Amino acid sequence: MEYILIFISAVFVNNIVLSQFLGICPFLGVSKKVNTALGMSAAVAFVLTIATIVTFLLQKYVLDALNLGYLQTITFILVIAALVQMVEIILKKVSPSLYQALGVFLPLITTNCCILGVAILVIQKNYDLLTGVVYAFSTALGFGLALTLFAGLREQMDLVNVPKGMRGTPIALITAGLLAMAFMGFSGVVKI
């Protein structure tokens, strides 16, 4: 039951983008097409889940064991950067079109504060490894849900007549705010 509560909380109630405002750069930058948003969501889910496992193990068995907790942030950033490079190499081989579509935003996963934030939150919340992985994967699904919904809304906005002064970023930010308010409707469903 605990895992279901963590899942619902991470996807809907405490959505990493719409509630905690982490991962805004790819949220705004890669959300023009649904296909690109889905690809970015999959890449973030993979990196986030693997990064959480690796950083958890490093924290518990290296940093804590050697009293090097002050190196947490830099260690986590290095792990995330290495994983993003691995994803980039794999995507270039497996799906060149998705690699091209993601463009500059793929390396930006390295600096996506969502990934670093979740890795640190897992440690701060004292989750065990399995609970941390469930939380990380659920958070990645919540990120993907928000990104895909936002991309769909942006595709629909291209079909309507938006006033000239509101085209582009202004209407995107207003839409993101409305989407965040819609997700606020889930607050109170789960208390975790």
Side-chain angles (χ1 to χ4, degrees), residues 91-122:
L91 272 181
K92 198 172 190 179
K93 290 258 188 211
V94 173
S95 180
S97 60
L98 179 58
Y99 175 78
Q100 289 290 354
L102 291 175
V104 71
F105 294 102
L106 189 57
L108 285 178
I109 293 176
T110 304
T111 59
N112 186 346
C113 54
C114 165
I115 295 172
L116 180 60
V118 169
I120 291 172
L121 282 172
V122 165

Side-chain angles (χ1 to χ4, degrees), residues 157-172:
M157 281 189 297
D158 288 341
L159 302 175
V160 297
N161 188 16
V162 177
K164 187 176 180 182
M166 294 299 291
R167 289 186 187 139
T169 304
I171 195 69

Side-chain angles (χ1 to χ4, degrees), residues 19-186:
S19 175
Q20 299 178 35
F21 307 114
L22 295 174
I24 297 293
C25 179
F27 180 71
L28 293 173
V30 188
S31 61
K32 292 182 180 162
K33 300 273 183 226
V34 172
N35 290 339
T36 309
L38 288 171
M40 177 60 94
S41 299
V44 167
F46 177 77
V47 171
L48 186 55
T49 305
I50 300 300
T52 299
I53 293 169
V54 174
T55 55
F56 179 88
L57 294 173
L58 277 172
Q59 179 73 37
K60 294 298 178 194
Y61 298 110
V62 177
L63 298 178
D64 287 348
L66 300 174
N67 278 338
L68 298 173
Y70 60 90
L71 293 175
Q72 180 188 58
T73 304
I74 191 70
T75 304
F76 286 13
I77 289 171
L78 290 173
V79 166
I80 292 165
L83 288 171
V84 169
Q85 287 299 312
M86 185 177 72
V87 168
E88 196 169 355
I89 291 167
I90 291 169
L91 272 181
K92 198 172 190 179
K93 290 258 188 211
V94 173
S95 180
S97 60
L98 179 58
Y99 175 78
Q100 289 290 354
L102 291 175
V104 71
F105 294 102
L106 189 57
L108 285 178
I109 293 176
T110 304
T111 59
N112 186 346
C113 54
C114 165
I115 295 172
L116 180 60
V118 169
I120 291 172
L121 282 172
V122 165
I123 301 301
Q124 286 179 347
K125 291 182 178 195
N126 275 334
Y127 285 153
D128 58 50
L129 183 58
L130 181 59
T131 307
V133 169
V134 168
Y135 175 73
F137 186 71
S138 301
T139 300
L141 289 179
F143 176 83
L145 175 66
L147 186 63
T148 306
L149 285 173
F150 190 54
L153 289 170
R154 287 185 77 175
E155 281 185 0
Q156 289 298 313
M157 281 189 297
D158 288 341
L159 302 175
V160 297
N161 188 16
V162 177
K164 187 176 180 182
M166 294 299 291
R167 289 186 187 139
T169 304
I171 195 69
L173 292 173
I174 290 170
T175 305
L178 291 172
L179 188 60
M181 286 175 53
F183 269 68
M184 281 178 57
F186 293 114

